[in-house]
Each structure stands twice: as C-alpha cells, then as structure tokens.
Amino acid sequence: MNVQTPLKPADFATDQEVRWCPGCGDYAILKGVQRTMAEIGARPENTVFVSGIGCSSRFPYYMATYGFHTIHGRAPAVATGVKLANPELDVWLVTGDGDGLSIGGNHLLHLLRRNLDCQVLLFNNEIYGLTKGQYSPTSRVGTRTPTSPFGSVDRPASPCAFAIGAGARFIARCIDTAQKEMPGILKRAHGHKGTSFVELYQNCIVYNDAVFEAFTAKANAAESQIWLEHGKPMLFAGGTKGLTLNRQDLRLEVVEVADGNWEAAGVIVHDETNKGVAQMLVDMPFPGFPIALGVIFCSPAPSYESALGEQTKTLTQGKIADLSALIRKGQTWEVAEKRD
C-alpha cells in the first residue's frame, strides 16, 4: 500500500516573495492556513485556492497547491466551476471585505445560498488596502479616507450578518493573530459539508492600523472577546461575565457571574445550531457587548454539487449522450403563410 508522507506547514509554502506590507495581518493568516493544511492532512494536488482582487487575493501565490487569482468579485463563480468540474477537489476561496461584499456581493450571496462544498475566508480590515485606502463596505461611520474625506456616512455591512441572511449553514469568526484558535476554527470549517464562511479580522497596518485594537489588544481581550464553544456556557472576562437571553424582549444581555455560578446568573449555553441566537450574536453592538468569536452557527444541509450530481445521475441513467445529434438539432421555426 502506498502510504503518503505527512506534510508539514512549510510544505505548503511556495518560493514566491510574499508581497504584503511589513506587519500586515495577512502574514499571520497565511501561517495559520498553512498550519491547518498540514493538520488536516491536505494534499497539494487535491487542493485549490481561488481568490478575487485585493491584498488578500494574492493568497494563491503563496500556497503550494493549485490556485486561481481571478477577477474582482468573481472568485465564487470560478470556485463553483472548479467544484462542479471535479467535486473531489478541496476548494478554498479567499476574499476581502471590498472584493467579497462590494462588487462581489451578488456572487458571494449565491455561493452561500447554494451551499457549495467549499471554505470561504473573508479577510475584513474595514478598508480598501490594495487601491490605497478608500473606505469599504465594512468601514465604520465617520471613517476618513480619500473617498470619504469628511467621514463615511454609510452604515457598515456585517459580513456574518450578510452570511446568515444569504442562508449560509456554517459561520465563524476569528482574529488574524489568534494563532492558537485559528487552526481549530479552520478545521471545523473544512470538516463541514457545504459552504463554510469564516470572517477573519485582519489589521491593515498602513491604511487602517489598530482599528480593531479595542478588542484585539491583550489588555482588552478578556473583557471584549467571547470565544464560543458548542455546549459550553457563554462566558467571558475570565468567567466573571456571561450572556443571558431576555426571553421577554428576545435579546441578549450581559450579566455578572458570582463565584463561577453561571447557571444562577442565567448564562445560556451555546447551541451552534440555533440560527436565531446566532443572529443575535453577530448583531451584538461593541462596545457594550463582547465580540463573538469561534463557530457561531453550524447547521449542515446537502451541498449544491452533491444535489446536482444526484440529479444528473438520475436524468442520464441508462442513456448515452450524443453530442453530435445535439449540435445538429438546431433551433429553427417555420412560419406558415398567412391566408385570408
């Protein structure tokens, strides 16, 4: 039996010069993804990374796998074609908040609702980095950029809320520097059959530096982050605070937890299959509430390519396709002469 040699993270690195700005959060994400590839036993010959346009979309150059660096916003369409052509391939899609939610919003919506079996990694730095710092769909109100010199007045889009609205069956969040947690989240995404959507908060050191520092800085992390785990109570701040559900108003609230007795405080247990609570978690305003991280929602359903494959198999069973006959069939009409 031919036993394949286990690969290491370095085996997924290419000889290409990594051309991101020094200090860019993309470096940490690249490291996390390469580590994940090794841990899940991925094979380069069976793995494809597809990207659109933007800083994050240089990703395929730095992965020793197959890859497509496509056009602005169209990575979901190309990824769909790749997966339908060969369902056995492991398809990863890399996009950014501008590429995925602006020009590519329509394509991303249909990928999510169809539930194609692939992993979507959306790098969110709340800015257009490659095109020199314009405000993006996720930029906050008041963000000053060359295209919003007096401050953006747009209400920002929430990537995870968008994914829920589009019908995504797996939604997770992580931070670029969370190297301990990232592989676990990516492995969960990979193991999910269907479209897995992972939002990655990514720091743009040049055009939007420290925009997430209020909840990513070590000094703020415990009070401002809540790492969700299925079947575990929703606790943060070292277990001294938690989330409870106000069942009268149907909204989440932060409560104090005394002496570790989270049940007495009414803290709820995370159920990643509960879509209603998932919506509340991604809608929590910060500050006031912590940022929800980890696997927020997971409710598997049949994937698009598997359903399409079964349909094709049923329709073609026992039939031999005749391409020549199809080409020569033509599309013609005869208009009869009108008579009085």
Side-chain angles (χ1 to χ4, degrees), residues 231-314:
K232 298 293 182 66
M234 295 187 188
L235 296 169
F236 64 104
T240 63
K241 295 181 181 180
L243 297 178
T244 189
L245 178 62
N246 182 323
R247 288 174 169 80
Q248 182 175 349
D249 297 334
L250 288 180
R251 58 184 173 84
L252 295 176
E253 295 177 347
V254 174
V255 292
E256 301 287 336
V257 178
D259 301 321
N261 193 345
W262 59 269
E263 291 175 303
V267 174
I268 59 175
V269 171
H270 181 45
D271 177 5
E272 64 185 25
T273 68
N274 190 318
K275 188 174 183 179
V277 174
Q279 183 74 66
M280 295 180 195
L281 287 167
V282 301
D283 285 344
M284 290 191 302
F286 177 85
F289 284 83
I291 296 292
L293 300 165
V295 178
I296 298 170
F297 179 62
C298 180
S299 180
S303 65
Y304 180 68
E305 78 286 348
S306 63
L308 191 62
E310 285 299 317
Q311 183 186 69
T312 302
K313 182 180 178 180
T314 300

Side-chain angles (χ1 to χ4, degrees), residues 136-148:
S136 83
T138 58
S139 295
R140 304 172 196 186
V141 173
T143 301
R144 292 178 178 270
T145 74
T147 49
S148 57

